[in-house]
Amino acid sequence: MIGVMRRVPDMLTRIVLPVLEDLLSLQVWSADLDAPEFVPAVVSELATDEERQRTSRFHNVRDARRFLARRCCVRQLVASFLDIDPKELL
């Protein structure tokens, strides 16, 4: 049946299309990794043991803090999408 358009059921347009729009959307996030909110004590709570060990290998303290802050941001962002506590992702 070439050239024949079939009507999309209403249920599909109400349920599937919004989900597809969410999946195909692009979101750009940014964070100031030097912001005061990223105090090492707070960020360290959301870091794994491996991440803490990696920070000890940085020669520059600023780079180590930013590494942990970046990991913390990503973990918080993913947790917000999953509607869970960021600590559950450790």
Side-chain angles (χ1 to χ4, degrees):
M1 297 192 166
I2 299 173
V4 175
M5 293 283 292
R6 291 179 23 186
R7 187 168 173 256
V8 177
D10 288 339
M11 184 178 77
L12 285 178
T13 58
R14 283 180 297 169
I15 298 171
V16 175
L17 292 180
V19 171
L20 285 175
E21 286 176 0
D22 285 345
L23 291 174
L24 298 175
S25 69
L26 173 67
Q27 297 184 11
V28 178
W29 295 81
S30 68
D32 179 5
L33 299 177
D34 295 317
E37 301 89 65
F38 297 117
V39 177
V42 173
V43 172
S44 186
E45 286 181 12
L46 294 177
T48 64
D49 291 336
E50 180 185 342
E51 290 167 339
R52 284 189 210 98
Q53 289 173 353
R54 284 183 66 181
T55 59
S56 67
R57 294 194 296 260
F58 281 91
H59 296 288
N60 185 324
V61 175
R62 179 176 177 252
D63 291 341
R65 287 188 62 203
R66 294 183 85 189
F67 168 78
L68 277 182
R70 183 174 57 249
R71 292 296 181 113
C72 174
C73 284
V74 170
R75 196 163 280 123
Q76 289 176 325
L77 184 62
V78 170
S80 71
F81 278 104
L82 297 175
D83 198 27
I84 61 173
D85 184 9
K87 292 180 182 177
E88 292 181 47
L89 296 172
L90 295 176

